[in-house]
Amino acid sequence: MSVRRRFYARPLLATAASIAVLTGVAATAPAATPSAAGSASPVAALDDTYYQDALGKTGTALKSSLHTIISDQTTLSYSQVWDALKATDEDPANSSNVILLYTGRSQSKSENGGDSGDWNREHVWAKSHGDFGTATGPGTDIHHLRPEDVQVNSVRGNKDFDNGGSAVPGASGNYTDSDSFEPRDAVKGDVARMILYMAVRYEGDDAFADLEPNDSVSNGSAPNIGRLSVLKQWSQEDPPDSFEQNRNEVIFEQFQHNRNPFIDHPEWVEAIW
């Protein structure tokens, strides 16, 4: 096993973090464009409508309310995911390209497939953790499906998330060892919020496994992914940026018609876990 590398948090002032969450200002991510999804819905308006039944709750009560809210969604087939990702992850600087999650590379939308150099569909919550495969439901939920380089996707495999390891070839800022994967700093929070979305959305009441995060990195095929303590840290240190907020909006408006609540309300991570 490789020697683990310590993750050093980038200092974030509370005021700056709040502004970033509310306005989507982030120097490390491409800005959202009106052509992709229009302006993001104000959180206050969502609280008056979409999230009204969750307000004022914490712990299991909040998790249960959010589960009910976000379970009202349109589902996609696995083949439909290709076209959906071309919209959700569009490069704001080049509408012909998508941004790959781990590498950050801008690549042509048409270069998708299974060959070396192509991009494919990365299940951030590894589909073997709960054995849901690519079945309609968790296997096709685009809140955790992202474009990624075929070879980097293979390196990540079904590993849990944690800090440390050796550098991933062709994916600067990413690290891996025998049991875990560390994404680049700019998407650490994105990864955490996708994992926690899945834990709230899939509670075992819809013929799929009850997905839950834990603090382990040896989960195998169990319906768990870790490390929760590290994911919470990542979510705090890398708040939602404009690209992530815009992606949430595109999914809500154009495809699944549900939202990732931890993008709209990052403070709910600590309120539940």
Side-chain angles (χ1 to χ4, degrees), residues 76-90 98 109-110 112 119 121 142 147 250 254-255:
L76 305 179
S77 70
Y78 198 45
S79 62
Q80 288 175 318
V81 168
W82 286 120
D83 287 336
L85 296 185
K86 293 175 183 179
T88 60
D89 291 74
E90 181 179 297
V98 290
K109 292 178 178 179
S110 65
N112 61 300
W119 64 268
R121 296 160 291 187
I142 55 177
V250 173
Q254 300 182 28
F255 296 102

Side-chain angles (χ1 to χ4, degrees), residues 183-256:
R184 60 193 176 99
D185 287 354
V187 296
K188 278 184 165 72
D190 308 50
V191 166
R193 287 180 284 274
M194 285 185 279
I195 292 295
L196 299 178
Y197 160 87
M198 293 292 283
V200 171
R201 171 60 186 86
Y202 299 98
E203 292 277 44
D205 56 1
D206 51 7
F208 296 107
D210 179 5
L211 306 182
E212 293 294 338
N214 62 18
D215 225 33
S216 172
V217 288
S218 56
N219 284 298
S221 61
N224 308 107
I225 280 186
R227 296 186 185 267
L228 176 58
S229 58
V230 172
L231 294 170
K232 289 173 61 179
Q233 176 190 3
W234 290 353
S235 182
Q236 183 177 21
E237 291 166 349
D238 175 36
D241 58 33
S242 59
F243 188 87
E244 188 181 3
Q245 290 173 322
N246 185 69
R247 188 175 195 278
N248 197 27
E249 197 69 24
V250 173
I251 293 172
F252 181 61
E253 294 291 346
Q254 300 182 28
F255 296 102
Q256 293 185 180

Side-chain angles (χ1 to χ4, degrees), residues 75-118:
T75 56
L76 305 179
S77 70
Y78 198 45
S79 62
Q80 288 175 318
V81 168
W82 286 120
D83 287 336
L85 296 185
K86 293 175 183 179
T88 60
D89 291 74
E90 181 179 297
D91 182 352
N94 184 346
S95 62
S96 296
N97 288 11
V98 290
I99 299 293
L100 308 191
L101 177 64
Y102 300 133
T103 65
R105 186 172 76 236
S106 179
Q107 184 158 345
S108 173
K109 292 178 178 179
S110 65
E111 293 175 351
N112 61 300
D115 295 331
S116 178
D118 286 346

